[in-house]
Amino acid sequence: MTADDLLAPLDLAFWNLESAEHPMHLGALGVFTAQSPTAGAHAADLLAARAAAVPGLRMRIRDVWRPFDRSEPFDLRRPLAFGGATREADPRFDPLHHVTLHAPAADFQAEAGRLMERPLERGRPPWEAHVLPGEDGDRFAVLFKFHHALADGLRALTLAAAVLDPMDLPAPRPRPAEPARGLLPDVRRLPGLLRGAVSDVGRALDIGASVAVHTLGMRPTPALTAAPTGTRRTAGVVIDLDDVHRIRKVAGGTVNDVLIAVVAGALRRWLDERGDGSEGVVPRALIPVSKRRPRTAHPQGNRLSGYLMRLPVDDPDPLRRLGTVRAAMDRNKDAGPGRGAGAVALLADHVPAIGHRLGGPLVSQAARLWFDILVTSVPLPSLGLKLGGNPVTEVFPYAPLARGQALAVAVSTYRGQVHYGLVADAEAVPDLDRFARALTAEVETLITACGS
């Protein structure tokens, strides 16, 4: 075991937050045009064959219960590994165990919801690929599932791309080699390491104070909270990116501002239609922000922070809702992702590994105190994705559902279309399709309000 094998603190937190009723995997449903009736079966064979050659897909996660091995070079980080976990190659790895070809499906989303319920097997590499042939033979879908401890959105994209048809992607920037470590630490480094430790403590206190201030008086939104049942329902919505740009050019803001405002308007419509009412409802949304440097050679380890904002669900004016979202996002960007309650993920870097193991269940119970709904963006390459020569037409990302929360929204943009991937607790949100329709209706409302 080396220090580089250790799970990053936030990965370890995700690993320990999980329970049978609260799986912490993310997913993506890719829909392909089938060029032959056997395209789905051929895709499953390709995925299994290619997975065997991808080192990242062979990695399982193993608990660590010793501070360090005296036969190995001294590493100041090693004592903090006690109670942590490492990634290591699984000697039993069998790609056929992870790739499943299912019977033809009439509704890809219904099948995806059922499959997202099932936690990943923790004793093996925590990922799965499910191939769903379409009943009409013209399409098939692949649901990828990755545990958040194995891969965040960017890393999952890298792993999935490795089993799809090859693409011309820019080469990653090499990471500078670290000097070899001796059996004892270099005494010249100790003052700097001590200063860094003191700085880390101060940083943790600063983040903790921001979290406390921003969560004072937080009251969960009833329609978006629920006791975890372990059930899952998924839905997908496709929106023309040109429509989003038309709204943005008239109303201002960024594409992301518009997409978040669409969620706020859809929540208003959904709550009113189901009889819960939107008056006085301003749910708190967590908007994850990646702090990873782009194009790194080793993109392992979650590096996340986030923005936290109130969604103006109670405002009846669609353009005013967009303006409120835009102003809130501008304030968040000015403050930076290290401030506010959305920065709670950064606290993971300052907690010893054993703390994550012991505190994971407590932290998972507190998620509903920080935010009501997750709205996250998943980047996709602009190049066309294919599997066995069959092109991807739609990609719906699925975010993990935090304990006590009923709905999570993930968004991706792919080849001129915006794809909303919705995940909900199936018992708490039996009408997820109604919310999906509300997203489409809200885009039309904004277009009309903009006079486009």
Side-chain angles (χ1 to χ4, degrees), residues 221 223 266-278 281 313:
T221 301
L267 284 172
R268 176 182 176 82
R269 187 182 301 266
W270 175 62
L271 290 172
D272 287 343
E273 287 181 356
R274 73 197 317 240
D276 290 334
S278 58
V281 176
V313 171

Side-chain angles (χ1 to χ4, degrees), residues 164-228:
L164 297 177
D165 293 354
M167 295 184 296
D168 274 335
L169 295 175
R173 295 173 182 171
R175 184 172 63 174
E178 294 185 6
R181 299 186 181 94
L183 292 177
L184 293 174
D186 185 344
V187 294
R188 293 171 296 180
R189 296 178 58 213
L190 288 177
L193 290 169
L194 291 174
R195 283 196 301 271
V198 172
S199 176
D200 278 352
V201 171
R203 182 71 175 136
L205 290 174
D206 184 42
I207 294 170
S210 293
V211 171
V213 168
H214 284 77
T215 53
L216 287 175
M218 171 66 181
R219 294 183 179 179
T221 301
L224 297 176
T225 58

Side-chain angles (χ1 to χ4, degrees), residues 9 14 64 89 176 219 222-223 247 252 280 315 317 319 338 377 387 391 427 446 448:
F14 283 127
V64 176
R219 294 183 179 179
I247 297 167
D315 192 328
D317 187 299
L319 292 182
S377 177
L387 178 56
E427 293 190 16
L446 279 166
T448 300

Side-chain angles (χ1 to χ4, degrees), residues 207-263:
I207 294 170
S210 293
V211 171
V213 168
H214 284 77
T215 53
L216 287 175
M218 171 66 181
R219 294 183 179 179
T221 301
L224 297 176
T225 58
T229 67
T231 61
R232 291 293 181 268
R233 187 184 304 274
T234 64
V237 177
V238 181
I239 293 170
D240 194 323
L241 184 58
D242 287 341
D243 289 340
V244 177
H245 281 301
R246 273 197 289 272
I247 297 167
R248 179 188 61 80
K249 288 176 181 177
V250 173
T254 67
V255 166
N256 200 41
D257 293 342
V258 175
L259 297 178
I260 295 171
V262 167
V263 173

